[in-house]
Amino acid sequence: MARMKILIVEDDRALADVLAYNVRQAGYEVLSAYDGQDGLTQAQVKTPDMVILDLMLPVVDGLEVCRRLRADPATKDIMVLMLTAKAEESDQLIGFSLGADDYVTKPFSVKVLLERIKALERRRRGGEAPTTDVVSSQGVTIDRRRHRATVHGKPLQLTRSEFRLLETLTRQPGRVFDRSELIDAALGEDTVVMERTIDVHVRALRRKMAEFADLIETVRGVGYRFRDPGAKVSDVTDSDDEPAEPAGSSIISRSNY
């Protein structure tokens, strides 16, 4: 199996060198860039499997780099691990809303970072196979093998996390998924994120589904479900409403499960 190629975009050259050494020692092929524009160019030309992306970069900042990667068909499927000193909840929500696959804050443990890379790699390699490659419900069709989603024949341009989220919901219409279940499905069981992160992904997914956004229903105080065409329920908010804040901590850690 070919080694995964990782592009490190970090303007602190000493840190970039440390990262490159450790990532290479872990068995990965490594590329390095020291500003956002060079990172974009290398991503487009050398097509890495993953980008480890600082946010406070010269020339083009990391958020804009991520936005452009996701907007370009040639780079939209590259995994993005944001590595940054910007540790506020709002910063992380913005990062995930732009399509980040993981978000690690500085200071960090190199060993933990390598485990996060391995977790993303496992997700890339496939994880558990679903029972079928194609699933359809109420005009939404998910083709997992081709990584293609359509609604009434119109292609949806989804991030990897949005695609997994829509697939999970569509496979079981009517079933209510709580936020932790959807985080596991869309972001991976090894991910440690805020519960509200999944709300950001749902809002982005609904925007892309446009007039069909109401197929994804919010169940107050619990989570989300894909509409069951044969059921009537009274505990569903309108699809554009803000979901109720779940009880307890807004941080999910896999050690709690």
Side-chain angles (χ1 to χ4, degrees), residues 39-234:
L40 278 170
T41 300
Q42 291 202 50
Q44 292 161 350
V45 173
K46 299 179 180 178
T47 58
D49 299 290
M50 181 188 299
V51 175
I52 297 177
L53 181 64
D54 186 20
L55 295 189
M56 292 179 283
L57 293 168
V59 188
V60 179
D61 70 70
L63 291 177
E64 181 62 21
V65 170
C66 187
R67 184 182 292 111
R68 294 188 194 179
L69 289 175
R70 292 298 182 236
D72 186 344
T75 59
K76 67 182 181 65
D77 291 328
I78 294 174
M79 294 181 289
V80 176
L81 187 158
M82 291 183 174
L83 181 63
T84 175
K86 296 171 74 68
E88 295 296 321
E89 177 179 305
S90 58
D91 297 320
Q92 296 184 49
L93 288 171
I94 291 170
F96 282 116
S97 72
L98 290 175
D101 294 282
D102 204 350
Y103 195 106
V104 176
T105 58
K106 301 175 182 176
F108 61 95
S109 159
V110 171
K111 290 182 179 180
V112 171
L113 177 65
L114 291 174
E115 289 304 313
R116 302 289 276 267
I117 292 171
K118 291 175 184 177
L120 289 176
E121 182 181 20
R122 288 195 296 272
R123 286 161 53 185
R124 167 57 62 89
R125 300 299 186 199
E128 291 187 10
T131 54
T132 60
D133 288 321
V134 179
V135 61
S136 296
S137 179
Q138 301 167 80
V140 174
T141 300
I142 306 291
D143 186 333
R144 188 175 185 273
R145 185 179 296 275
R146 295 175 180 167
H147 199 81
R148 188 170 187 265
T150 61
V151 56
H152 290 279
K154 180 181 178 181
L156 296 172
Q157 301 301 318
L158 305 180
T159 67
R160 187 180 299 104
S161 295
E162 291 164 357
F163 183 90
R164 286 194 293 261
L165 175 60
L166 183 57
E167 179 189 12
T168 299
L169 292 167
T170 306
R171 282 187 179 277
Q172 300 185 64
R175 180 193 161 179
V176 179
F177 291 86
D178 65 33
R179 286 171 174 79
S180 64
E181 290 177 309
L182 291 175
I183 288 171
D184 285 348
L187 304 179
E189 294 184 2
D190 301 280
T191 307
V192 179
V193 298
M194 295 159 290
E195 280 198 344
R196 283 196 294 162
T197 296
I198 206 66
D199 300 333
V200 174
H201 286 289
V202 169
R203 285 197 291 270
L205 181 55
R206 282 172 169 162
R207 283 195 297 270
K208 293 179 180 181
M209 293 178 69
E211 67 267 32
F212 303 104
D214 59 359
L215 287 172
I216 300 175
E217 299 175 332
T218 302
V219 181
R220 287 190 177 94
V222 183
Y224 299 96
R225 69 169 150 226
F226 197 79
R227 180 191 296 166
D228 183 345
K232 291 185 179 180
V233 295
S234 59

